[in-house]
Amino acid sequence: SQTIHQWPATLVQPVGSPLSLECTVEGTSNPNLYWYRQAAGRGLQLLFYSVGIGQISSEVPQNLSASRPQDRQFILSSKKLLLSDSGFYLCACYPGLAGGTQFFGPGTRLTVL
Amino acid sequence: AQSVAQPEDQVNVAEGNPLTVKCTYSVSGNPYLFWYVQYPNRGLQFLLKYITGDNLVKGSYGFEAEFNKSQTSFHLKKPSALVSDSALYFCAVRYRSYNTDKLIFGTGTRLQVFP
């Protein structure tokens, strides 16, 4: 079965600083990968998804970007953080044989001050 | 367009009582439906899913969900609630197109089980 790692677990950054969050997956190959943001412990907002290396789809225009340099690595970045970027960032994986079931990582708590 | 609605922001239930968390959906074609649970500061955990077959789906931790096509609902249920069931619950529906395969989530329902 797959395991999803995210780091860092928590991050406090000043406004205007850059961001890099990393997600890596073990136990599966060629998965679909997803970045979500959750604000205030409620709804999930899908930010980006990827069906393969170098293939990124953006769901909403915003201050963030994503990259997939390797099959099981998914990176969320920003050049300059905004206060509104604060939230809980979740990486998810769909291994392709689970009827659409996504499996989630432990998340990264980002606070922008 | 595919969508999911969770009409209750919060559900309160006494320990030992049955619980229901509601979900309705709107999809074109046959739905793939999911329930996830999230504990504080944790990622989402998969509980159960409906793809086809028996309308009553059994999942983890004693939870089950009933698919009702005529009412376009997929309510989550448990016969006897535990305090440890207190968490945030999400319903989701799968959306697929030519180059897209994603889940559309509801806004979440907070379940509070009182001792």
Side-chain angles (χ1 to χ4, degrees):
Chain A
S1 66
Q2 63 287 316
T3 303
I4 300 109
H5 301 281
Q6 289 187 244
W7 62 86
T10 60
L11 190 60
V12 180
Q13 292 284 93
V15 169
S17 63
L19 174 73
S20 181
L21 302 182
E22 189 165 348
C23 170
T24 58
V25 179
E26 294 179 354
T28 187
S29 297
N30 196 31
N32 288 359
L33 297 174
Y34 306 82
W35 277 113
Y36 293 86
R37 178 167 60 200
Q38 186 178 30
R42 291 308 301 232
L44 295 169
Q45 179 184 34
L46 179 61
L47 302 176
F48 301 95
Y49 64 92
S50 171
V51 299
I53 295 174
Q55 300 180 63
I56 307 295
S57 297
S58 174
E59 285 289 296
V60 290
Q62 54 197 312
N63 186 41
L64 301 168
S65 62
S67 62
R68 187 170 177 176
Q70 301 180 41
D71 180 45
R72 290 173 287 180
Q73 184 184 31
F74 203 25
I75 297 172
L76 184 69
S77 304
S78 174
K79 292 182 179 178
K80 289 185 178 182
L81 283 169
L82 306 172
L83 287 173
S84 57
D85 292 324
S86 293
F88 193 48
Y89 288 82
L90 291 162
C91 178
C93 159
Y94 169 46
L97 295 174
T101 306
Q102 291 183 18
F103 299 93
F104 284 77
T108 294
R109 173 76 59 192
L110 172 65
T111 303
V112 182
L113 301 175
Chain B
Q2 265 81 341
S3 66
V4 170
Q6 293 182 245
E8 303 155 314
D9 282 346
Q10 180 154 330
V11 170
N12 299 316
V13 64
E15 187 174 32
N17 283 1
L19 69 87
T20 299
V21 183
K22 296 180 180 177
C23 172
T24 59
Y25 65 89
S26 175
V27 300
S28 55
N30 295 321
Y32 285 36
L33 296 161
F34 304 81
W35 276 103
Y36 286 83
V37 61
Q38 184 183 31
Y39 297 97
N41 297 310
R42 304 288 293 275
L44 275 67
Q45 295 179 33
F46 169 72
L47 279 178
L48 51 81
K49 67 183 176 188
Y50 171 84
I51 296 177
T52 187
D54 194 347
N55 288 344
L56 186 63
V57 179
K58 294 188 183 296
S60 305
Y61 312 121
F63 283 93
E64 57 190 27
E66 186 170 9
F67 171 66
N68 188 316
K69 188 172 183 178
S70 63
Q71 297 186 7
T72 62
S73 67
F74 188 56
H75 300 333
L76 182 70
K77 300 181 179 183
K78 189 174 182 180
S80 179
L82 300 172
V83 172
S84 58
D85 292 329
S86 299
L88 187 57
Y89 290 81
F90 289 97
C91 181
V93 63
R94 188 184 191 186
Y95 172 72
R96 284 192 296 176
S97 66
Y98 167 66
N99 62 349
T100 300
D101 193 342
K102 60 184 180 182
L103 296 180
I104 297 172
F105 285 88
T107 51
T109 298
R110 192 167 301 281
L111 174 66
Q112 189 71 48
V113 181
F114 295 95

